[in-house]
Amino acid sequence: ARIKALIGICQKRQNRLEDAESNLTAALPLVTNPKIHILMLTNLIEIEYAKGELQQASEYATSLTKSDPSNPDALYFAYRIYSDLADSARNALTVLAPDSTRMHLLTAERFINAGNASLAIRQYQEALAKDPSITGVHYELGEAILQNSTDEDSLNRATAELELALKEDQRNAGAEAKLGLIAKLRGNPRLAEKYYTRALSEKPDEFNALVGLGDILRDRGENEKAAQYLSQASKLDAMDDSLHYQLAQIYRHLGRNAEAEVEMKLFAAIHDLKSSESVADRRRMGP
C-alpha cells in the first residue's frame, strides 16, 4: 500500500491525475505512516479540487485537518474549499429561491459581515415575516440590533428578541451572553455577571461571556481571575487585538512583564495587519 501511495504521488506530479487518484484512494485506508498519510490526503485534495469535485475535496480536507490540525496547508485548503462551496450554494439559492426565507437570512449574514447591521436587520425581519416559526433568527436579529446601536430603544428591542430566543432554546448561551452585555451597558454589572455565568454554565467556551466576565472582574480589581477568562477568549479568537492589549495591561499590573511583552507584540502585529487590510479595502472600493 505504501508503494502504491508513493506511485500515486509521483503520478500526480506528472499530471496523470486519474492514475494518481486511483492509486491514492486505494492505498489511503491501508497506509498508517502519519507523514505519508498526510501527503496522500494533500495530493487527493489537490486532485479533487482541480477536477471541480468540491464535496469530495472537502471530505479529504476535513480528514487532513483532523490528522494535522496545525498544518498551514490543511487550514488553507479547508478555507479555500469551504469558501467555494459556500459561494456555490449561495449562487444556487439566488437562482432557485431569490425571495425565500433562507435567502433573506443569507443576505442578512452578508450584510453583517460587511459591517452593515442596519440592512441586516431588515433582512432578518423579512425572514421572520415569511416564516415566524423559523428558529435561531430572533437571536441573530437581537445581535444585529445591538451591533447597529446601543441606545435605550435598541437595548429594549434587542432584549425582546433575545428573550424570544431563550424561549426557543433555554440553553442558548449566546443569548444569555448578549443579555449580560445589555445589563452591563445599563450599568448593572451584578446582573451582567449572572447572565455571563449562566452562559458559561451552558457553554464553557462562549466567547462573549468570557470577555464580558473578564471585563467585570478586571473592573473589580480581580486581575488574576480576569486574566484567566480573557486568555481563554483570546485562544478562541487570536485575531482580536483588543484582547491582547487588555491582557498586556493586566499582566503588567500583576508584575508578569514577560507575558505582558508577548501580548503587546501580538497586539501591535494584529493591529498593524488590520490597519493595512482596511487601507487596502478602501483603495479597492475607491472614493
Side-chain angles (χ1 to χ4, degrees):
R2 185 181 296 186
I3 292 172
K4 187 182 285 287
L6 295 174
I7 290 172
I9 292 168
C10 292
Q11 290 170 330
K12 159 67 171 53
R13 292 176 181 173
Q14 295 171 335
N15 208 34
R16 295 166 56 190
L17 299 186
E18 290 186 6
D19 293 335
E21 182 181 12
S22 177
N23 281 312
L24 288 168
T25 52
L28 187 64
L30 306 174
V31 173
T32 57
N33 182 290
K35 290 184 178 180
I36 297 178
H37 190 78
I38 288 170
L39 190 58
M40 292 167 67
L41 284 170
T42 302
N43 278 268
L44 281 167
I45 291 169
E46 291 175 343
I47 290 169
E48 298 299 339
Y49 192 82
K51 291 168 57 183
E53 298 291 342
L54 295 178
Q55 194 60 52
Q56 185 61 62
S58 72
E59 293 178 14
Y60 289 134
T62 299
S63 296
L64 182 56
T65 52
K66 287 181 179 179
S67 300
D68 193 2
S70 60
N71 184 327
D73 289 337
L75 297 173
Y76 170 78
F77 286 139
Y79 171 80
R80 181 85 178 268
I81 292 164
Y82 299 148
S83 295
D84 286 356
L85 281 169
D87 288 343
S88 177
R90 183 193 66 220
N91 292 339
L93 187 59
T94 302
V95 172
L96 297 173
D99 193 35
S100 65
T101 302
R102 296 299 180 185
M103 189 66 217
H104 285 296
L105 293 179
L106 190 150
T107 305
E109 184 177 335
R110 294 188 70 189
F111 281 135
I112 286 292
N113 292 336
N116 195 330
S118 178
L119 290 179
I121 289 169
R122 295 182 192 175
Q123 293 297 319
Y124 286 129
Q125 290 170 336
E126 289 281 351
L128 284 169
K130 283 188 168 295
D131 184 1
S133 66
I134 191 168
T135 59
V137 182
H138 288 294
Y139 170 71
E140 300 291 344
L141 177 54
E143 194 173 39
I145 291 169
L146 286 176
Q147 186 172 323
N148 187 55
S149 174
T150 55
D151 61 26
E152 189 59 29
D153 179 63
S154 296
L155 295 182
N156 288 333
R157 289 164 55 210
T159 297
E161 296 297 334
L162 293 167
E163 287 176 347
L164 286 171
L166 282 172
K167 285 183 179 179
E168 290 178 348
D169 178 8
Q170 294 181 356
R171 302 185 64 182
N172 189 328
E176 294 278 11
K178 289 299 180 183
L179 287 169
L181 172 61
I182 291 171
K184 186 181 177 185
L185 290 170
R186 284 175 164 160
N188 192 339
R190 289 188 178 181
L191 179 59
E193 185 175 1
K194 288 181 180 179
Y195 279 122
Y196 290 141
T197 302
R198 275 209 299 263
L200 292 173
S201 70
E202 296 291 349
K203 186 182 178 187
D205 62 349
E206 168 53 47
F207 177 80
N208 291 308
L210 290 168
V211 174
L213 195 51
D215 288 344
I216 288 173
L217 291 167
R218 181 202 59 207
D219 293 343
R220 196 186 292 163
E222 299 181 41
N223 288 309
E224 286 284 1
K225 290 182 179 179
Q228 293 175 13
Y229 286 108
L230 295 176
S231 177
Q232 189 177 344
S234 73
K235 291 180 174 64
L236 296 171
D237 185 359
M239 292 299 291
D240 190 326
D241 52 338
S242 66
L243 284 176
H244 294 295
Y245 182 80
Q246 290 181 68
L247 281 167
Q249 300 304 310
I250 291 173
Y251 287 145
R252 190 170 287 118
H253 185 80
L254 292 170
R256 294 158 61 175
N257 294 326
E259 291 169 277
E261 186 67 22
V262 169
E263 294 297 336
M264 277 304 295
K265 287 181 179 178
L266 286 169
F267 162 73
I270 297 168
H271 182 74
D272 289 346
L273 178 62
K274 288 183 175 180
S275 296
S276 62
E277 287 179 347
S278 178
V279 170
D281 288 341
R282 287 198 296 271
R283 286 176 178 170
R284 281 194 295 269
M285 292 173 65

